[in-house]
Amino acid sequence: MLGKLTSYSTYMDSAELSSSLRSVIAALHKGLRKQTSAAGAYSMTELETIGHLFRNPTLLPTELAALTRITTQSMSQILSKMEAQRVIKRTPSKEDKRKVGISLTAVGKKLVEKNLYEKDEWLKNEIERTLTDKEKELLAKVLPVLNKLIEIK
Amino acid sequence: MLGKLTSYSTYMDSAELSSSLRSVIAALHKGLRKQTSAAGAYSMTELETIGHLFRNPTLLPTELAALTRITTQSMSQILSKMEAQRVIKRTPSKEDKRKVGISLTAVGKKLVEKNLYEKDEWLKNEIERTLTDKEKELLAKVLPVLNKLIEIK
DNA sequence: ATAACTTGTTAGTTTACCTAACAAAATTAA
DNA sequence: TTAATTTTGTTAGGTAAACTAACAAGTTAT
């Protein structure tokens, strides 16, 4: 079962690496979903959407959909929900009347600053509880590597 | 926004670490799901289930549910589906008549050997295409760290 | 001018989970 | 030993978060 040794690892070839990575991603994702699904909280994708709007003053629905990797139709539904909650606002463009700028409302921004990181509490606690400082450092180092895997091409 | 510096990272505190990790996990999970959802393929959890049965000759539904982090009810449905496909078989225990041993059929084993790793093809290709050998090495090193985060307590 | 493309939306469907309710066997308590 | 409780597995029904289909309206290309 063990793949042939290569230069990049004494233990794993890419097949085993991907299988193990899939496995741990599935488990972590389930842990996260269980957290966020508690009591009318934001879903994973809603959380991502809010995060993008926090870092970018305004974005189009299409752009948000691409960033969060869902269809524009699904994004449209999320936006309607968040608009009803006064978390985001839709501002139709004057140059191109098809376009609708999406941005956080004042209420939304306040809510985000107060709550966004709190939503990650579970994972944060898991990290602090189970990992050593050295492991945290390693994790921080590998994040850009993981992000390379999901770059939009 | 930048947290105060700590010993384990020059750049990230646990809050930022967890936020970034959540983000990349969500994206990777979506990428994986898109792959596995193609053409009557196995879902993420079904894939996990098969993997566990590949490594353990027989397991109980309860054990499989715990390992894959879903309810026993959900596992029951997955098992029914896979039994209908002749991928797994149910063998009631003689000592304890409540228990049902789950194992891969001959057909299932063959199918798994042929296909399990292929299902990870997308991720494998992404890894090989976008990561350098050094990055692959780093990824292999961080896997046990990520697994620590999801250990069943 | 009209055809083709872009952008955003609503409507309806699917998937992968969940909770509720229950049956049957095993274990513990009385 | 009988009765209550716990364990194990299942079916039935519900839900959240995605999807595809269809379409309206604005923009660009021919």
Side-chain angles (χ1 to χ4, degrees):
Chain A
M1 209 67 238
L2 220 68
K4 66 175 191 301
L5 305 182
T6 74
S7 60
Y8 57 80
S9 172
T10 331
Y11 305 106
M12 286 194 179
D13 62 22
S14 289
E16 288 174 272
L17 203 55
S18 64
S19 178
S20 305
L21 185 56
R22 170 177 54 70
S23 175
V24 74
I25 285 165
L28 278 169
H29 190 262
K30 269 174 199 161
L32 281 166
R33 245 195 10 143
K34 196 161 281 171
Q35 289 309 308
T36 59
S37 74
Y42 296 110
S43 75
M44 292 282 277
T45 304
E46 285 163 348
L47 226 51
E48 290 300 298
T49 304
I50 291 170
H52 288 303
L53 289 172
F54 194 68
R55 290 184 295 275
N56 304 278
T58 96
L59 290 166
L60 301 176
T62 329
E63 294 170 329
L64 279 168
L67 285 168
T68 56
R69 288 145 209 273
I70 59 173
T71 59
T72 52
Q73 294 96 310
S74 298
M75 181 51 70
S76 189
Q77 287 172 332
I78 288 173
L79 294 175
S80 294
K81 181 187 153 190
M82 296 205 296
E83 189 185 36
Q85 296 172 345
R86 313 273 176 246
V87 172
I88 62 115
K89 61 168 179 284
R90 284 168 154 131
T91 317
S93 157
K94 276 163 190 168
E95 302 86 61
D96 186 335
K97 285 177 189 170
R98 293 168 308 177
K99 294 184 179 173
V100 180
I102 308 293
S103 48
L104 292 175
T105 60
V107 175
K109 262 178 222 160
K110 202 173 280 176
L111 185 139
V112 167
E113 278 163 18
K114 195 163 151 283
N115 292 327
L116 187 57
Y117 280 114
E118 283 178 23
K119 297 280 177 185
D120 292 320
E121 203 97 7
W122 170 75
L123 189 52
K124 197 185 95 186
N125 287 343
E126 288 303 291
I127 287 173
E128 289 187 340
R129 201 173 55 76
T130 61
L131 302 190
T132 67
D133 284 1
K134 260 230 144 8
E135 287 169 334
K136 286 177 204 165
E137 200 178 332
L138 188 60
L139 185 54
K141 251 206 256 179
V142 91
L143 281 173
V145 175
L146 291 173
N147 273 303
K148 273 183 77 175
L149 288 175
I150 51 163
E151 256 160 34
I152 296 166
K153 270 81 58 175
Chain B
M1 209 66 238
L2 222 66
K4 66 175 188 298
L5 305 183
T6 74
S7 61
Y8 58 81
S9 171
T10 331
Y11 304 105
M12 286 193 178
D13 61 23
S14 289
E16 288 174 273
L17 204 54
S18 64
S19 178
S20 304
L21 185 56
R22 170 178 54 71
S23 175
V24 74
I25 284 165
L28 279 168
H29 189 262
K30 270 175 197 160
L32 281 165
R33 246 196 9 145
K34 194 160 280 169
Q35 288 310 307
T36 60
S37 74
Y42 296 110
S43 74
M44 292 282 277
T45 305
E46 285 163 347
L47 225 52
E48 291 299 299
T49 304
I50 292 170
H52 287 303
L53 289 172
F54 193 68
R55 290 184 295 275
N56 304 278
T58 95
L59 290 167
L60 301 176
T62 329
E63 294 171 329
L64 279 168
L67 285 168
T68 56
R69 288 144 208 273
I70 59 173
T71 59
T72 51
Q73 295 97 310
S74 298
M75 181 50 70
S76 189
Q77 286 172 332
I78 288 173
L79 293 175
S80 295
K81 182 186 153 191
M82 296 206 295
E83 189 186 37
Q85 295 172 345
R86 312 270 177 249
V87 172
I88 61 113
K89 62 169 178 284
R90 284 168 155 132
T91 317
S93 158
K94 276 164 191 166
E95 303 87 61
D96 187 333
K97 286 179 188 169
R98 294 168 307 176
K99 294 183 179 174
V100 180
I102 308 293
S103 48
L104 292 175
T105 61
V107 175
K109 263 179 223 160
K110 202 174 279 178
L111 185 139
V112 168
E113 278 164 18
K114 196 164 151 281
N115 292 327
L116 186 58
Y117 279 115
E118 283 177 24
K119 298 278 178 185
D120 292 321
E121 201 98 8
W122 170 77
L123 190 51
K124 197 185 95 187
N125 287 343
E126 288 302 291
I127 287 173
E128 288 187 340
R129 200 172 56 75
T130 62
L131 301 189
T132 66
D133 284 1
K134 260 229 142 13
E135 288 168 335
K136 286 178 204 163
E137 200 178 330
L138 188 60
L139 185 54
K141 251 205 252 174
V142 91
L143 280 174
V145 175
L146 291 174
N147 273 303
K148 274 184 75 175
L149 287 175
I150 51 162
E151 256 158 34
I152 295 165
K153 270 81 57 173

